[in-house]
Amino acid sequence: MIGYAFFRLVSLCASLAAASIVIFGVIEVIPGDPAAFMLGVSATDDAVAALRAELGLEGGVTARYFSWVGGMLVGDFGTSYTYRVPVSELVLARLQVSLPLTLYALALSTAVAIPVGLAAAARRGGTADYGIMAATQLGIAVPNFWFAMLLVLVFSIGLGWFGAGGFPGWEAGFWTGVKALTLPAVALALPQASILARIMRSSLLEVLGQDYMRTARAKGLSGRQAVVSHGLRNALIPVMTILGLQFSFLLAGAIIIENVFFLPGLGRLIFQGIIQRDLIVVESVVMLLVFAVIMVTYLVDLTYAAIDPRLRRSI
Amino acid sequence: MERRLPPKRASDSPVRSRQTRLPDAAEPVLEVEALSMDIHGVPVVRDVSFDVRAGEVFGLVGQSGSGKSLTALAVMRLAPGGAVTRGRVLLSGTDLTALSERRMCQTRGRDIGMIFQEPMTALNPLRSIGDQVAETLRVHGVASRSEALCVAREKLARVGLPQERFGLDRYPHELSGGQRQRVCIAMAIALRPRLLIADEPTTALDVTNQAEILKLLSDLAADEGMALVLITHDLAVVAGMASRVAVMHEGRVIDVDDTETLFCEASHPYTRDLLRDSLHQPSRRSGSGGTPVLEARNVIRDYAIRRRSLFGARRIHRAVDGVSLTIRQGESVGLVGESGCGKSTLARAVLGLDAMQDGMIQVDGVPVNLVRARMQAVFQDPYGSFNPRQRVGRLIAEPFHLTPLTKPVRHARVIEALEAVGLSAEDVDRYIHEFSGGQRQRIAIARAIVVRPRLVVLDEAVSALDVSIRARILDLLTDLQQRFRLSYLFISHDLEVVRSITDRVLVMHSGRIVEEGVTDRVLSAPEHPRTQELIAAAPRIPEEWLRAGIKAGKPDSDTP
C-alpha cells in the first residue's frame, strides 16, 4: 500500500511538471509578446516596454520558467496586472467561496444519489425505477442556471428563506455563510446527483449479476444483506471515479452559477482574468486548478487501493 | 435451539459421526417431488422427482439447457427472475417451498451448502478468504467473529488450504482456480450442512485439479455424512463418483438408476446416445508420413513478472522452455498438460502472434510471422471470439486481410467454407447471436479454413461443447482434414478427445515437452511420471461398464 502510494506520488509530480511546462508554453511563449497582447493594439512602444519590465518578461525563456515555478513553490504567484494585488491573495479569497461551495454541492449530490441509485437498482423495472430514471434524465437535461433562477424565485423571492445572492464572508458567521451557499450548492448538485445516481444504479446492477452475489445468497444472506456486505463496495468503485471528476469540474466550472448568485468564486476570477487579458492571473489560477485536479485524482487512486486489494500490490 | 457449531473437530471425529449417521442413511435427506419451473411462461424444468440419502453421492447429468442447474436453484429457492416453480422439495421432511423467505435464508448455508461452476468469479474480490468463510457462520449467528475465524481456519485446512501457506488474510486474486474452488467448498461446508449441491464444480478446472476436488468432495460426503448432489455434463465424472444417477433432458428426468446399472444396461435410448457420443471416435486415416509443414526448434518464450516491490529485481517467467516440434502435412498432433504448463503460450508462438526470445518456428521453411495466412486458429469460446455487430459473411472473410484476393473470389471462398462446415450460403447475412453454440463453432472453423491454411491450431476448440455436438464437430474436423490435407495442432485437457482425433501427442509440463509419441502408445503406456499423473487424474467410465453398455445398446444402435 505504501509502495503504491509512493509510486503514485512520483507520477503525480511528473504530471504537475508536464502541466506547468504546457501552461507556461501556451501563455508566454506561443502568442508572441504577452505585454503587447495585454495592452491591446493601441498601446505605445514605451508602455509595452514598461509592462514587459514589470511582468519580468526580460531574459531567457528557461530562466523565466524557473522563476515562475520557483515563485509558485514558495507561494509567490506574481502580482495581478489589473487588480494590483498579489495573485495568491486573490486566489485565497476566492477559494474561501469556491472550495466550500464545491464540497457542499458534492456532499448534497452524494447524499442523494447513492440511496436513490440503490433504490432504483433494487426495484429494477418497477415504477420507482422508471420514476427515478425519468427524474434523473430531467436533472441532467435542465440547464442548472435556469434551475438556479427557479430556486431564487421560489425560496428567496417567494418564501424569503434565503438571500437572492452575494456572499457575506465567513466573518459574518459560519451558518450565515452556509445559508448563502445553500441555493447555489443545490443548483450545482442537481445535475451531478442525477449523473451519479445513474452511475450508481448501473454499477450496482452489474454487481448484482456477479457470481459472488449468488454465492452470498447460497451462504444464507438475505438479498439486502448480500447487497450491503458484498454489493456496495464493489459498486462504489466506478462511483468514486465520477466523484473525482465532478470535484474538479465544480471547483472552477461553477462560473454560471457564481454569476447567477453573484458569488466571488474562482470561476469568475478566471473569467475576469481572461476578458481583462490579465495573463498572470490566468496562468496561476489554471496551474492551481491543474494541481487540484491531480491531487484529487491521487486521492481517488488511493481510495481505489483502499477498497480493492488487487491494486495494492501492483505497481 | 440446536447449536451445530463444533467446538473442536478432534472431539468430533468423522468415525463417530459416521456411526451416528449411518443408521438413518436409508432415510432421504432431500426429496424432490414433481418439481416444475417456468421462466416467463417457458417450461424449463418439468415434473422432476428424485431423492438423495445421507452420505450418498447423487449424480445429475445432462447437456446444457437440460434444466439440471435450474433444478438445483429451485431446491435452493434462488431461481432467476420471472421463474415460477411448482411441486415440493423436502429437506429431511420439511417442505422448503412452503418456508418463508426468512426461514429459507436460515436454511441456505446452514442445512444446504452449494458450490458453483466458476470459481474465478464466485468469490468477492474485495474481501479476504478467511472473512468470506467466516461469514457463513456469522450470518447464521452461531459464532462470534473470533470463533468464526477460528472455524474458518479449520475448514480451510480441511479443504487443503493450510494456514501456513494460505493465511486467512489472503485475497481471492492471489489464488488459482482450484484453490478458489476449495475456498468455495470451505464456505459451503462450514456449518456441516446435511446437503451439499455441487453444480459443475470442476468444469472450469484442469484434470489434475478436477481429480483432487472430486476426491475432496467424496471424502467430505463420507466423513460428514452429507448428501452430495453432483451436477455435471461429464458422464465419466459421475461414473467415478456417484452411487446413483439421474439423466436430464429437456427439463425432465428421463432415466434414474444405480450408476452401474445405468451405464451397463443403458436402457433409455437417450442415455445410450449420450454414452455413445461421449466415446465417439471419428473414423480417420492416420496422417503421418507427409512432408513437414511446421517446424519449431528450441522455442523460448519469457514473460516479465511484476516486481515484488518498487526496488525489487526484475523477474522473468519462462513459459515455454526450449520446445521443438514438427507437424507433417495431414497430421494431427495433440498437446496436453495441466493449466499453466505453457500450452496456450506455445500455440500463440506457433501462430506468430508473439515474439519469441529464442528459437525459430518455420512454416514450409519460411519464418512463421511472414506467412501468417498459412496458420489459423479456433478457440474455446465460440461467442467471445466474434464481433456481435458483424454479419457472418464478414466474420468469415476476416482472415483475407492476410491475402491479396479479389472480392468475387473472396465471396466464393466464404460460401465454400460455410458449406464445407455444414451451413448454407444464406447464412452469410445472419448475425452470430442467431446461431447455437455448435453452429458458432462451425463458423469459427469456417473462418479458419477460408484462407486455405496449412495448419489449424485448435485450442480447446471442443471443450465447451456438449457431447453430442462435440461428436459432430470432431467428425467435421476429420472430414475437413482429409478434404483439404490440413494439419492440426490440437490443444485439449480432455484425453479422450485427444485419443480420438490425433496421431501423435506431446505432453507439456512447466514449459517443456516431457513426453511425445504415437497417441495410443503414450496414453496406454505412459513413461514420464507427469504423463502418468495426467492419465490417472482423467475421469473414466470403467471399461467393463462400457462394454456392457455398448452391448446392451447394440440391437438399438442400428435402427436410426
Side-chain angles (χ1 to χ4, degrees):
Chain A
M1 184 73 192
I2 291 166
Y4 176 78
F6 178 73
F7 178 78
R8 295 290 310 150
L9 201 64
V10 170
S11 84
L12 176 153
C13 292
S15 320
L16 276 179
S20 71
I21 291 171
V22 171
I23 292 168
F24 181 82
V26 167
I27 293 187
E28 297 217 17
V29 181
I30 296 168
D33 188 350
F37 172 74
M38 282 167 74
L39 289 175
V41 281
S42 57
T44 62
D45 287 354
D46 284 351
V48 172
L51 184 61
R52 283 180 66 88
E54 190 190 328
L55 293 177
L57 289 183
E58 314 297 335
V61 173
T62 330
R64 274 192 284 131
Y65 171 73
F66 280 110
S67 88
W68 177 60
V69 171
M72 282 194 297
L73 286 179
V74 296
D76 174 14
F77 290 81
T79 305
S80 159
Y81 175 66
T82 45
Y83 292 89
R84 295 288 166 186
V85 287
V87 175
S88 52
E89 256 175 50
L90 275 176
V91 169
L92 220 59
R94 301 304 180 104
L95 267 183
Q96 285 181 17
V97 178
S98 281
L99 199 60
L101 179 62
T102 301
L103 294 175
Y104 195 177
L106 272 190
L108 282 179
S109 112
T110 316
V112 173
I114 288 182
V116 164
L118 231 159
R123 293 170 184 75
R124 182 185 199 175
T127 326
D129 187 20
Y130 281 117
I132 290 168
M133 284 288 95
T136 53
Q137 184 84 66
L138 204 66
I140 296 169
V142 166
N144 64 0
F145 61 86
W146 181 83
F147 181 64
M149 291 191 287
L150 204 69
L151 288 175
V152 170
L153 268 176
V154 175
F155 293 99
S156 309
I157 299 168
L159 296 168
W161 292 355
F162 296 97
F167 184 68
W170 295 105
E171 308 83 57
F174 177 72
W175 290 111
T176 321
V178 168
K179 203 174 158 191
L181 292 182
T182 298
L183 288 188
V186 170
L188 284 174
L190 176 79
Q192 310 301 339
S194 304
I195 294 169
L196 213 57
R198 288 178 155 248
I199 303 279
M200 183 68 205
R201 173 184 179 270
S202 61
S203 147
L204 194 59
L205 281 180
E206 195 186 317
V207 167
L208 290 181
Q210 295 289 324
D211 287 349
Y212 52 77
M213 296 302 287
R214 191 179 56 184
T215 309
R217 294 302 312 276
K219 274 200 263 186
L221 276 78
S222 67
R224 185 183 291 259
Q225 284 174 320
V227 169
V228 171
S229 73
H230 294 277
L232 273 184
R233 245 170 96 184
N234 278 292
L236 280 178
I237 293 175
V239 172
M240 285 302 305
T241 315
I242 303 296
L243 264 180
L245 292 174
Q246 292 190 338
F247 177 85
S248 329
F249 168 76
L250 287 176
L251 198 57
I255 176 167
I256 297 178
I257 294 296
E258 284 172 13
N259 269 321
V260 170
F261 290 98
F262 215 73
L263 294 176
L266 265 186
R268 283 176 79 203
L269 180 65
I270 303 182
F271 183 67
Q272 284 159 354
I274 292 170
I275 50 178
Q276 287 161 355
R277 302 181 178 186
D278 194 340
L279 291 185
I280 298 177
V281 167
V282 175
E283 191 177 55
S284 302
V285 174
V286 169
M287 191 60 217
L288 206 76
L289 288 174
V290 169
F291 176 74
V293 170
I294 290 179
M295 279 313 290
V296 168
T297 316
Y298 178 59
L299 288 179
V300 170
D301 281 347
L302 289 191
T303 319
Y304 280 160
I307 294 180
D308 193 339
R310 286 167 294 187
L311 291 173
R312 277 174 222 163
R313 260 155 262 204
S314 61
I315 288 182
Chain B
M1 178 114 179
E2 184 198 17
R3 203 171 150 89
R4 291 168 58 86
L5 174 70
K8 274 272 183 292
R9 278 293 276 114
S11 65
D12 191 57
S13 77
V15 180
R16 198 213 66 186
S17 68
R18 209 182 293 180
Q19 280 169 345
T20 53
R21 280 168 198 253
L22 265 186
D24 47 299
E27 269 181 39
V29 170
L30 175 72
E31 292 163 274
V32 174
E33 292 175 3
L35 184 73
S36 296
M37 185 198 286
D38 293 355
I39 295 182
H40 297 298
V42 180
V44 286
V45 175
R46 300 186 237 188
D47 200 23
V48 165
S49 300
F50 61 88
D51 56 73
V52 188
R53 293 172 212 129
E56 177 188 44
V57 179
F58 183 83
L60 198 56
V61 295
Q63 307 207 13
S64 50
S66 62
K68 53 194 194 305
S69 292
L70 288 170
T71 302
L73 290 176
V75 169
M76 291 292 275
R77 295 224 344 234
L78 287 176
V84 180
T85 42
R86 291 176 306 281
R88 297 209 306 164
V89 176
L90 301 177
L91 184 75
S92 305
T94 314
D95 187 358
L96 297 183
T97 57
L99 291 183
S100 68
E101 177 56 28
R102 227 182 105 251
R103 287 286 310 282
M104 196 60 214
C105 281
Q106 290 164 1
T107 306
R108 287 186 208 113
R110 182 187 188 119
D111 299 316
I112 316 176
M114 186 157 178
I115 305 156
F116 298 95
Q117 172 168 3
E118 203 33 86
M120 296 311 276
T121 52
L123 295 169
N124 183 347
L126 305 187
R127 293 179 55 180
S128 68
I129 59 172
D131 191 22
Q132 295 194 51
V133 175
E135 190 183 30
T136 306
L137 294 111
R138 299 283 293 133
V139 77
H140 291 282
V142 296
S144 70
R145 189 175 155 72
S146 57
E147 282 172 336
L149 285 173
C150 198
V151 176
R153 194 168 297 137
E154 270 169 35
K155 296 295 173 183
L156 284 171
R158 174 69 187 85
V159 299
L161 301 176
Q163 165 72 7
E164 308 82 67
R165 286 183 52 226
F166 303 94
L168 294 179
D169 56 349
R170 296 285 289 265
Y171 285 94
H173 71 275
E174 300 169 300
L175 306 181
S176 72
Q179 290 162 352
R180 290 186 206 191
Q181 194 62 293
R182 287 169 192 271
V183 176
C184 292
I185 294 173
M187 276 184 340
I189 61 155
L191 283 172
R192 309 181 60 215
R194 273 170 277 179
L195 172 68
L196 182 62
I197 303 175
D199 187 0
E200 302 270 11
T202 57
T203 307
L205 305 176
D206 67 27
V207 280
T208 334
N209 267 312
Q210 165 164 290
E212 287 170 13
I213 295 285
L214 291 177
K215 169 98 174 45
L216 173 63
L217 285 174
S218 57
D219 286 355
L220 282 171
D223 290 356
E224 313 259 339
M226 272 185 299
L228 172 64
V229 175
L230 180 68
I231 299 173
T232 179
H233 67 283
D234 191 337
L235 289 171
V237 166
V238 284
M241 287 278 292
S243 53
R244 285 188 307 139
V245 176
V247 179
M248 284 193 75
H249 180 52
E250 292 179 350
R252 293 177 203 282
V253 170
I254 52 149
D255 201 0
V256 54
D257 218 327
D258 288 343
T259 312
E260 191 173 345
T261 320
L262 188 109
F263 278 93
C264 293
E265 292 179 5
S267 51
H268 196 284
Y270 180 74
T271 312
R272 210 144 52 220
D273 286 348
L274 269 187
L275 260 176
R276 201 168 37 214
D277 284 337
S278 70
L279 300 165
H280 181 75
Q281 297 260 2
S283 56
R284 59 189 299 275
R285 287 189 302 263
S286 164
S288 39
T291 53
V293 171
L294 177 89
E295 284 192 282
R297 290 286 159 268
N298 224 0
V299 176
I300 288 179
R301 181 77 183 91
D302 292 334
Y303 283 110
I305 311 180
R306 248 195 311 247
R307 298 169 197 210
R308 281 222 180 84
S309 72
L310 190 57
F311 306 104
R314 181 171 248 154
R315 293 181 301 150
I316 279 173
H317 171 65
R318 182 148 288 185
V320 176
D321 188 5
V323 167
S324 300
L325 67 111
T326 305
I327 300 177
R328 295 172 186 280
Q329 187 168 24
E331 188 183 34
S332 282
V333 175
L335 182 60
V336 298
E338 58 191 33
S339 62
C341 72
K343 300 186 300 258
S344 292
T345 310
L346 178 61
R348 287 183 62 84
V350 163
L351 287 165
L353 295 174
D354 291 334
M356 294 171 286
Q357 274 61 51
D358 197 12
M360 64 113 201
I361 300 178
Q362 291 187 339
V363 179
D364 302 325
V366 187
V368 64
N369 49 337
L370 303 178
V371 285
R372 291 251 309 276
R374 295 187 205 178
M375 330 280 294
Q376 289 296 314
V378 179
F379 296 102
Q380 172 167 1
D381 180 2
Y383 192 66
S385 63
F386 288 114
N387 181 343
R389 287 179 189 81
Q390 292 181 356
R391 291 172 199 276
V392 164
R394 180 146 170 227
L395 290 173
I396 294 178
E398 230 162 339
F400 280 130
H401 74 270
L402 298 167
T403 58
L405 284 177
T406 61
K407 244 190 157 164
V409 178
R410 289 178 180 201
H411 187 70
R413 287 273 199 94
V414 167
I415 304 287
E416 184 194 41
L418 258 182
E419 283 169 351
V421 298
L423 296 170
S424 74
E426 289 91 70
D427 290 329
V428 290
D429 288 325
R430 293 169 67 192
Y431 288 96
I432 198 73
H433 67 262
E434 299 173 54
F435 295 89
S436 68
Q439 286 172 323
R440 284 172 192 166
Q441 203 57 304
R442 283 173 191 269
I443 293 168
I445 294 168
R447 174 168 65 179
I449 62 168
V450 75
V451 283
R452 300 195 178 148
R454 304 267 286 150
L455 176 76
V456 179
V457 175
L458 300 148
D459 190 350
E460 300 283 4
V462 296
S463 303
L465 303 174
D466 282 324
V467 282
S468 55
I469 297 162
R470 186 177 74 193
R472 304 290 89 76
I473 295 285
L474 289 176
D475 282 340
L476 170 68
L477 288 172
T478 310
D479 170 54
L480 292 173
Q481 178 165 47
Q482 268 142 26
R483 267 161 71 189
F484 299 108
R485 293 285 287 151
L486 289 170
S487 305
Y488 288 150
L489 177 60
F490 201 95
I491 302 171
S492 181
H493 66 272
D494 188 334
L495 298 180
E496 287 310 312
V497 170
V498 169
R499 189 196 296 274
S500 71
I501 198 170
T502 64
D503 304 300
R504 281 192 303 128
V505 66
L506 311 172
V507 182
M508 207 164 168
H509 179 77
S510 299
R512 294 168 178 274
I513 304 284
V514 293
E515 182 162 359
E516 71 172 291
V518 175
T519 304
D520 279 334
R521 200 282 296 158
V522 172
L523 295 187
S524 55
E527 281 162 12
H528 196 276
R530 294 285 96 74
T531 319
Q532 289 162 357
E533 279 169 23
L534 212 57
I535 290 168
R540 307 184 67 164
I541 304 171
E543 285 290 332
E544 58 275 18
W545 291 9
L546 280 178
R547 271 196 298 267
I550 288 166
K551 209 179 285 168
K554 263 277 157 56
D556 199 68
S557 66
D558 298 330
T559 50

